Amino acid sequence: MSGRRAASPQRHGRFPRKSPFFWPRILMIVGVVVAIGVAAAAVLWITGSRSPLAKPCDVPAEIRVGADATIAPALESVTAKVPAEVCVTYTVETRTQPELAAMVTAGKDAPDLWVADSAVRVQRVAAATASGTAAPEITVPSLASTPGVIVGRQGEVPGFATWISALQTPGVRFSDPLVTGSGEVALLGALSEVEAGRGEAKTLQAATAQLAQSESLRTGEKLTDAKQLEAVASGGGFAIVTEQAWLSFGQTPAGAKLAASMPHTGSVSLDYPMAVTAAGRARGDAAADAARALAAALAGEDGTKALADGGLRPVDGSRTPDRKGVGSVAALQPASPEAVQRTLKGWSVQAIPFRSLVVMDVSGSMNFEAGDQTRMQLTQQAAIAGSKLFPNTAALGMWAFSIGLGGGSQDYVELDPIRKMDQVVGGVTQRDRLVADISGLDKRTGGATGLYDTTLAAYRTVKANYDARAVNSVILFTDGANEDPDSLSLEELLEALERERDPAKPVVIVSIGITEDADAETLRTISEATGGSSYVARNPEDIPSVFVDALQARAQ
């Protein structure tokens, strides 16, 4: 036998397959490969890249986005930042907020997504959306923010303690809160102050009544923020706008003259929510996904810069990266949704021109003492103060009444026919004529109260000269009950009011009882028969405030 050893079988790898180390080694290698693949996929997903082997987006969803000019450029700039995997093509359409609201309300050619300037606007539109039309539903609560500010010439910007005091100031440039975001934030700022105990509801009501009536003077195109600021730059005074509007206008030569501040209480901000307005569930779901993706892109560094370039703050209200604007903002606590809707509804009604016949009781009992003065003296003081609440668009006239005052069986006498407050007659404005006649009422007192005949005659007079553009009313002041034995009965008066009531020409009677001697139940019944309201000043100190309430009363 030869001494040479036989050749060993050929070996592949370090361990034979039968070795206990072979399969664990293979599994470890496979695990490493899988881990590397997962990591690579994650990197590709995070960076927004697509693998050449990935399935392409076959048909991108085409999503229309409606927004106003304050935020549309920023949205447009970040659409390319939305990852391709979202599979959406965005078209940003720039329109005014009233235009967008009208489109969504009617459901006609509405965009798939609506970037409103405030959640309050979306809520109002949702409540008014036409039957069978998809109501807007907020998907992204906020994309950006901008607070309300007060703008004047540099060195002339008033320092207001509250929004209420700003709204009370004569000559304030203030836009319709139902149309502009600037008007909305100022009005809601004042409402927040009232709810926080920093102002009186009646003070705010008086201020808004004046502003709403002044707004009704305007015809044609509503004033924009830019036009308000132009007027301040050229003529002085101050305007309430948003910080975004001020910063945007500041890029013009005229804008360089202006500065801004805000009341010591703080401010309310527009919040720019994004709402789904697309019809159909499938389309709506696609739009909601597209909304969230667009919001994520806008929240990035590029989006924040694009917002700042347009004068908008981030969602949290912090200062923009360029540190422009009015500085840090103390956010007012939002008013309750019920109060907001009630206030905005009140504005819409108050904006309707006011036309009224004021009917004043001059019976002998008005000479009775009420504290340190007589009932008549207190009523005169309140009426003169109340006459200042109305802008020139309001039309008022006045009667005085007591039994036989007008001669024979007529219990009333006309002192001033209904005219606009700025109408000049005999060289004197209607406002001044009313003040003069109110001042002379104490010289007419005497006799008993001829309430029912006078009430019906006043109602018929206003109805006969009805103005379809205005709220038509009778404002009736009395400290007693009907004392005319030859007049209509209460039942006959109520029957006549019901019979002559015309829904196409509504005339309301607002009644005011002076002190406890007034027949409060009868006055309430008379007012309710016409859809009006009734008030009673039970104590002398109540007369001024009740007078203001009644003068500002509108049909509900």
Side-chain angles (χ1 to χ4, degrees), residues 493-550:
L493 170 61
L494 295 175
E495 288 174 1
L497 291 174
E498 178 63 30
R499 183 173 60 252
E500 297 180 23
R501 187 175 182 180
D502 183 353
K505 295 182 178 181
V507 174
V508 298
I509 296 176
V510 178
S511 58
I512 302 174
I514 307 297
T515 75
E516 290 282 1
D517 287 349
D519 189 347
E521 181 60 25
T522 294
L523 293 177
R524 182 188 63 80
T525 303
I526 292 172
S527 292
E528 288 183 351
T530 64
S533 23
S534 184
Y535 305 82
V536 176
R538 301 187 184 282
N539 301 303
E541 60 269 20
D542 294 336
I543 292 177
S545 61
V546 167
F547 189 95
V548 170
D549 288 342

Side-chain angles (χ1 to χ4, degrees), residues 92-123:
V92 179
E93 301 174 357
T94 304
R95 298 179 183 273
T96 66
Q97 288 296 339
E99 288 174 336
L100 289 165
M103 293 166 67
V104 174
T105 301
K108 184 178 181 181
D109 198 32
D112 301 298
L113 294 173
W114 171 29
V115 180
D117 53 0
S118 76
V120 171
R121 191 184 296 274
V122 176
Q123 293 160 4

Side-chain angles (χ1 to χ4, degrees), residues 26-51:
I26 294 299
L27 292 174
M28 182 180 70
I29 294 171
V30 171
V32 170
V33 172
V34 171
I36 292 172
V38 170
V43 170
L44 287 172
W45 182 81
I46 292 172
T47 59
S49 301
R50 293 180 62 89
S51 167

Side-chain angles (χ1 to χ4, degrees), residues 3-193:
R4 296 175 61 189
R5 297 177 60 187
S8 300
Q10 187 177 0
R11 296 171 61 188
H12 299 278
R14 186 173 179 179
F15 303 108
R17 292 182 178 176
K18 293 182 179 181
S19 168
F21 300 102
F22 178 78
W23 289 112
R25 176 68 172 176
I26 294 299
L27 292 174
M28 182 180 70
I29 294 171
V30 171
V32 170
V33 172
V34 171
I36 292 172
V38 170
V43 170
L44 287 172
W45 182 81
I46 292 172
T47 59
S49 301
R50 293 180 62 89
S51 167
L53 299 178
K55 183 179 178 180
C57 173
D58 294 330
V59 182
E62 296 182 0
I63 298 296
R64 294 169 55 214
V65 183
D68 66 31
T70 63
I71 196 171
L75 293 170
E76 185 70 51
S77 72
V78 299
T79 55
K81 302 294 182 180
V82 175
E85 284 76 10
V86 177
C87 201
V88 171
T89 299
Y90 296 93
T91 301
V92 179
E93 301 174 357
T94 304
R95 298 179 183 273
T96 66
Q97 288 296 339
E99 288 174 336
L100 289 165
M103 293 166 67
V104 174
T105 301
K108 184 178 181 181
D109 198 32
D112 301 298
L113 294 173
W114 171 29
V115 180
D117 53 0
S118 76
V120 171
R121 191 184 296 274
V122 176
Q123 293 160 4
R124 285 174 39 226
V125 168
T129 301
S131 177
T133 299
E137 183 175 346
I138 294 177
T139 298
V140 179
S142 179
L143 295 175
S145 67
T146 185
V149 296
I150 298 169
V151 179
R153 289 173 172 172
Q154 291 186 17
E156 300 177 3
V157 184
F160 290 104
T162 63
W163 284 107
I164 295 176
S165 59
L167 294 176
Q168 282 182 295
T169 304
V172 55
R173 301 182 189 279
F174 174 78
S175 301
D176 187 343
L178 301 180
V179 176
T180 69
S182 293
E184 180 185 299
V185 291
L187 184 58
L188 298 192
L191 183 59
S192 295
E193 292 169 346

Side-chain angles (χ1 to χ4, degrees), residues 63 90 112-113 137 139-140 274-276 278 281-294:
I63 298 296
Y90 296 93
D112 301 298
L113 294 173
E137 183 175 346
T139 298
V140 179
M274 185 151 47
V276 172
R281 181 169 182 175
R283 183 72 177 172
D285 289 346
D289 291 341
R292 287 186 282 268
L294 186 58

